[in-house]
Amino acid sequence: MKKLILILSCAILSTSAVFAQKSALSQAKKDISSFTPNYKSARNAINGALTTAETKDNVETWYLAGKIEYTAYDQMLGENQIKPGASSDIDMANAIYNGNKYFEKALPLDSVLEVDNKTGQPKLDKAGNKKYKTKYSKEIKALLYGHLNDLSVAGSTFYDEKDYAKSQELWKKFVDLSIEGKGVKDVIQIPDSIIGQLSYYRGVAGYMNQNYADAIEAFELARKYDYDVKDTYDYALVCYSNLQDNDGIIKTAKLAFPKFGKEDSQYVSILINDYINNDKLDEAITMLDEAIAANPDKAEFYDVKGTICEQRNDMDNAIANFKKSIEIDPTYAKGQFNVGRYYYNIAVKKNDEAASDLTTRQLKEYFENEVKPYYEQALPYMEKAYLYDSENGDIKHALTNLYYQLGDEQKLKEIESK
C-alpha cells in the first residue's frame, strides 16, 4: 500500500510541474498581450519553460519567448522616442538578438501533422506525402520582416562593442531574410546594393571573429549583390591564408586580377608563384609580360621575371631584370639584394674554381684579380638592400660575409653588434 501511495505522489508531482509551466506560459502571454505590455514580468514567467523538459520542445514556448523580446525592443524604442537614452542601445540590441535566437528555435518546431477528423488518419497531399500545417510561423516571419532594419542596427551596436560574433549573426539574418523576402507581398524590398554592403560587413565581422569560412561566404555574397569592391577579395585572401587553403587563394586571385590587377600587384604575384610552384615557367613568363605591359612601373614584376630567368639558367636576362627593378625603384630592397646576390655568387663560384695546386701567394693574387672584384661589385647593392630592409636575415648574413671577405673589420664589427 505504501509503495502505491509513493507512485501516486510522484504522478501528482509530475502533473504539478506540467501545470506550473503551462501556467507560466499563460502568464507570459497575458503580460505581453495587455494594453501596456510588461516584458520584464513576461521574461521571468517564460524563463523556466525554456529549460523544463515538459515545455522546452514546445513551439509555443519559443514563439512566446521570441515575441517577448521583440515586444521589449518595441517598448524600449518607444520609450527612447519620448525620453532619449531611457533604454541603452546594447539592451535593445540584446532584445533583438535573443528574440531572433528564440524564433530560430521555434520555426523548426512549428510543424503540425494534419489529421482527418473522421478517420483519425494523416491527411495526404496530391503527391501522397503527409500534410503539415504551421501555427506560429506566419506571425514569426512577419515580426522578423517587420524588424529587418532593427536587425541591421543591432548588428552595428554589437560591432561597436566588439562583439563580432553577434554582429555577424544578425547581419547574416538580415541578408538571409532580405534575399528570402524578394518579391514577397508586404515585405520591404531591400536593394541589392544594401544586401551586398551588409554581406561585406558580415564578412568583416567574421574575419574579426576568426570565423573565416563564414567570412569568405559573406564576401562572395557581397560581390554577387553589387558590392564588388577590392576589400572583398583582400579580406578573402587573408581568410583563405589563415585556413591554409591554397586553392582558395588562387581562386580569389584569379577573380581579382582582371579587375584590380593594375592597382595591386599581389594578385599577379600569387598567380605567378602558383605557376612557378607547379613548374609552369612559360605560363609565368607570359603572365609577367602581360603584367609588365599593363604596369611598366612595378619593380617587383621585373624582379620576379629575373628570378624565373635565373631558374632557367638565363643569367643575362636575370641580371637585366634585377637591375631594371632597382632602376624603377632604388628603394626596392629585394631587387637590390638580387643584384648583389648575382655578383656575390659569381665571386663564390670563381673562388671555388681556383686550382688546388696554387701556392699561397698565387691564391692571394687569384683572389685579388678574379674574386675580389665581384665581391666589390656586390657590396653597394647589399648595403642598399640592408639600408631599406635591415630586418631581413638573408640580407644581413650576406652583407656580413661580404665585409669578412673584403677584410673590412670595422663594418664587420658594426653589423655584428646589431
Side-chain angles (χ1 to χ4, degrees), residues 244-379:
Q244 298 183 338
D245 185 343
N246 192 61
D247 290 341
I249 292 172
I250 301 304
K251 179 185 74 173
T252 304
K254 283 181 178 178
L255 292 171
F257 175 64
K259 300 171 184 177
F260 306 105
K262 287 186 178 181
E263 62 182 275
D264 192 337
S265 62
Q266 68 167 323
Y267 311 119
V268 70
S269 297
I270 290 169
L271 298 175
I272 289 165
N273 284 334
D274 182 57
Y275 283 136
I276 293 171
N277 291 336
N278 288 286
D279 202 27
K280 296 179 179 179
L281 300 184
D282 289 339
E283 289 91 334
I285 289 288
T286 299
M287 174 163 276
L288 267 171
D289 287 339
E290 291 174 2
I292 288 170
N295 303 271
D297 296 328
K298 289 286 185 181
E300 54 264 45
F301 289 165
Y302 292 96
D303 183 67
V304 174
K305 187 174 180 181
T307 302
I308 296 173
C309 291
E310 185 178 14
Q311 284 184 267
R312 291 172 144 183
N313 206 30
D314 182 0
M315 299 310 295
D316 288 341
N317 276 320
I319 189 59
N321 280 284
F322 290 149
K323 285 186 174 180
K324 182 67 177 177
S325 74
I326 59 174
E327 177 187 321
I328 292 170
D329 181 5
T331 67
Y332 183 50
K334 192 168 181 289
Q336 295 283 2
F337 172 74
N338 280 333
V339 175
R341 183 175 58 81
Y342 171 82
Y343 292 117
Y344 180 94
N345 287 340
I346 293 176
V348 171
K349 186 178 179 182
K350 288 278 185 182
N351 196 54
D352 291 341
E353 290 173 350
S356 59
D357 59 349
L358 294 178
T359 65
T360 302
R361 182 179 176 181
Q362 288 173 325
L363 279 172
K364 186 176 179 180
E365 289 178 354
Y366 179 82
F367 177 83
E368 289 292 328
N369 297 325
E370 300 294 333
V371 180
K372 187 177 179 180
Y374 288 103
Y375 281 135
E376 290 174 334
Q377 276 187 279
L379 182 61

Side-chain angles (χ1 to χ4, degrees), residues 61-348:
T61 302
W62 299 102
Y63 154 74
L64 276 175
K67 189 173 181 180
I68 289 166
E69 295 303 318
Y70 271 59
T71 301
Y73 176 85
D74 291 340
Q75 196 165 334
M76 286 188 278
L77 183 64
E79 290 170 352
N80 277 354
Q81 290 173 344
I82 298 170
K83 183 182 177 182
S87 298
S88 70
D89 290 343
I90 196 64
D91 285 342
M92 295 173 67
N94 274 313
I96 287 289
Y97 179 80
N98 291 331
N100 178 61
K101 297 297 283 187
Y102 294 147
F103 283 154
E104 284 183 349
K105 290 278 289 186
L107 286 169
L109 296 172
D110 191 23
S111 184
V112 181
L113 180 65
E114 293 190 43
V115 179
D116 189 299
N117 292 330
K118 293 181 179 179
T119 64
Q121 297 298 313
K123 290 184 179 180
L124 304 178
D125 60 20
K126 292 180 180 179
N129 299 315
K130 293 178 181 178
K131 293 178 69 176
Y132 292 87
K133 62 181 179 180
T134 58
K135 186 175 182 180
Y136 302 103
S137 294
K138 187 175 181 180
E139 185 180 352
I140 290 172
K141 284 295 180 71
L143 283 168
L144 289 170
Y145 284 131
H147 288 79
L148 259 180
N149 287 333
D150 302 316
L151 286 165
S152 173
V153 171
S156 297
T157 298
F158 284 124
Y159 190 89
D160 291 341
E161 292 291 322
K162 295 183 171 54
D163 192 339
Y164 302 117
K166 287 183 179 178
S167 63
Q168 182 184 3
E169 284 185 51
L170 290 180
W171 284 333
K172 182 179 188 304
K173 190 67 177 180
F174 172 91
V175 168
D176 289 346
L177 286 170
S178 298
I179 295 171
E180 181 185 286
K182 279 185 172 295
V184 177
K185 186 181 178 183
D186 298 328
V187 173
I188 297 173
Q189 298 300 297
I190 305 297
D192 283 359
S193 58
I194 299 299
I195 294 175
Q197 192 173 33
L198 261 293
S199 295
Y200 167 73
Y201 291 148
R202 166 195 160 196
V204 174
Y207 165 76
M208 298 296 290
N209 190 40
Q210 298 184 8
N211 189 346
Y212 300 123
D214 187 80
I216 289 166
E217 178 186 295
F219 293 130
E220 289 177 351
L221 200 60
R223 295 194 287 270
K224 179 180 178 181
Y225 283 92
D226 295 343
Y227 201 73
D228 193 4
V229 299
K230 185 174 179 295
D231 276 356
T232 63
Y233 299 94
D234 293 346
Y235 270 116
L237 285 173
V238 177
C239 290
Y240 277 122
S241 178
N242 283 315
L243 293 172
Q244 298 183 338
D245 185 343
N246 192 61
D247 290 341
I249 292 172
I250 301 304
K251 179 185 74 173
T252 304
K254 283 181 178 178
L255 292 171
F257 175 64
K259 300 171 184 177
F260 306 105
K262 287 186 178 181
E263 62 182 275
D264 192 337
S265 62
Q266 68 167 323
Y267 311 119
V268 70
S269 297
I270 290 169
L271 298 175
I272 289 165
N273 284 334
D274 182 57
Y275 283 136
I276 293 171
N277 291 336
N278 288 286
D279 202 27
K280 296 179 179 179
L281 300 184
D282 289 339
E283 289 91 334
I285 289 288
T286 299
M287 174 163 276
L288 267 171
D289 287 339
E290 291 174 2
I292 288 170
N295 303 271
D297 296 328
K298 289 286 185 181
E300 54 264 45
F301 289 165
Y302 292 96
D303 183 67
V304 174
K305 187 174 180 181
T307 302
I308 296 173
C309 291
E310 185 178 14
Q311 284 184 267
R312 291 172 144 183
N313 206 30
D314 182 0
M315 299 310 295
D316 288 341
N317 276 320
I319 189 59
N321 280 284
F322 290 149
K323 285 186 174 180
K324 182 67 177 177
S325 74
I326 59 174
E327 177 187 321
I328 292 170
D329 181 5
T331 67
Y332 183 50
K334 192 168 181 289
Q336 295 283 2
F337 172 74
N338 280 333
V339 175
R341 183 175 58 81
Y342 171 82
Y343 292 117
Y344 180 94
N345 287 340
I346 293 176
V348 171

